[in-house]
Amino acid sequence: MKSIRIVSPYNGDFALVAHISWSEGDPSLYIRPYFERGWRARAVIFDAPPNASTTVTQQYQCDVDPGEAKLSLHYSGQCHVYYGKGKANRTPPVYGPKLNDPAGGHIASINCFDLHGLPLLGGPPRQTGPDLDVVAPAPGQGTAQLKVSLHASSDEQAMQSFPLWLTLKRPVMPDPLYVALQSRSEPGPVKRIRGVQVMGGWGPGAAPDAPIRTLALWAGPDNPEAPYELDE
């Protein structure tokens, strides 16, 4: 498998939400939100528990072309957000445990409150082959927001409870790394906040109630000067 696309039902088609891929040299993961040309990317570094909600104002922003904004989760535990081409448009690093930390656990989230304006798949989701489509419930389909979480572990048995998981084997690692995806339901009213949000940086094994350094990438069409909500 080469990559995974997160898609969601929308107006008789499927909206493209996020693209997940990984390095061939090591098990670093890359998450790119889909968005239309003319939208903006914003990157934020903040301290908050991974299960908390907070409101912050952007620290970095740039007009970017689709595909140029991504969250990079490196095997070493280093995490960056790219909000444009090259290192000049990259946040300072956030450091967490290695992705194969024995503690395992939640490493990143993909959130979307409103699918309006996202590019469309234009056909049925791919269910086989090296590039797979994963269908997540749309906001309003029994959930307040689309929410997909990524988990990592060096324990294969720990991954077997997830509906989708994969194995990454690389020369730099003594043992395989297992990465799982899970779509989670969120009760409550639907929020009409356009765009896609990707969060990570805390690493596996993080305590759910301890403030930790976190990175967030948001791509959307809204006023770049306005605060936006980070909901993990």
Side-chain angles (χ1 to χ4, degrees), residues 121-140:
L121 182 59
R126 299 175 299 197
Q127 298 180 330
T128 60
D131 301 295
L132 186 69
D133 292 332
V134 173
V135 179

Side-chain angles (χ1 to χ4, degrees), residues 204-217:
D209 55 354
I212 49 177
R213 185 56 54 96
T214 301
L215 275 170
L217 166 64

Side-chain angles (χ1 to χ4, degrees), residues 72-225:
S72 298
L73 299 162
H74 300 288
Y75 167 66
S76 64
Q78 186 177 134
C79 182
H80 289 99
V81 164
Y82 287 83
Y83 52 99
K85 288 184 177 179
K87 294 182 179 180
N89 292 317
R90 184 181 73 178
T91 65
V94 166
Y95 296 94
K98 287 187 175 181
L99 290 182
N100 69 337
D101 188 279
H106 185 188
I107 59 170
S109 285
I110 300 165
N111 300 324
C112 182
F113 300 96
D114 188 346
L115 299 172
H116 178 66
L118 293 179
L120 298 178
L121 182 59
R126 299 175 299 197
Q127 298 180 330
T128 60
D131 301 295
L132 186 69
D133 292 332
V134 173
V135 179
Q141 291 189 326
T143 186
Q145 61 176 294
L146 180 149
K147 180 177 287 229
V148 175
S149 59
L150 277 70
H151 304 256
S153 176
S154 58
D155 181 358
E156 182 177 5
Q157 187 174 0
M159 296 287 100
Q160 294 179 358
S161 62
F162 291 95
L164 174 64
W165 58 279
L166 54 95
T167 304
L168 299 180
K169 297 180 179 180
R170 299 293 186 270
V172 298
M173 297 190 307
D175 298 301
L177 174 71
Y178 304 98
V179 178
L181 280 77
Q182 184 176 39
S183 180
R184 298 185 292 165
S185 295
E186 184 82 7
V190 176
K191 306 173 184 178
R192 295 302 178 191
I193 304 173
R194 295 172 62 191
V196 178
Q197 178 190 102
V198 180
M199 298 176 64
W202 53 83
D209 55 354
I212 49 177
R213 185 56 54 96
T214 301
L215 275 170
L217 166 64
W218 180 88
D222 297 338
N223 180 357
E225 301 302 327

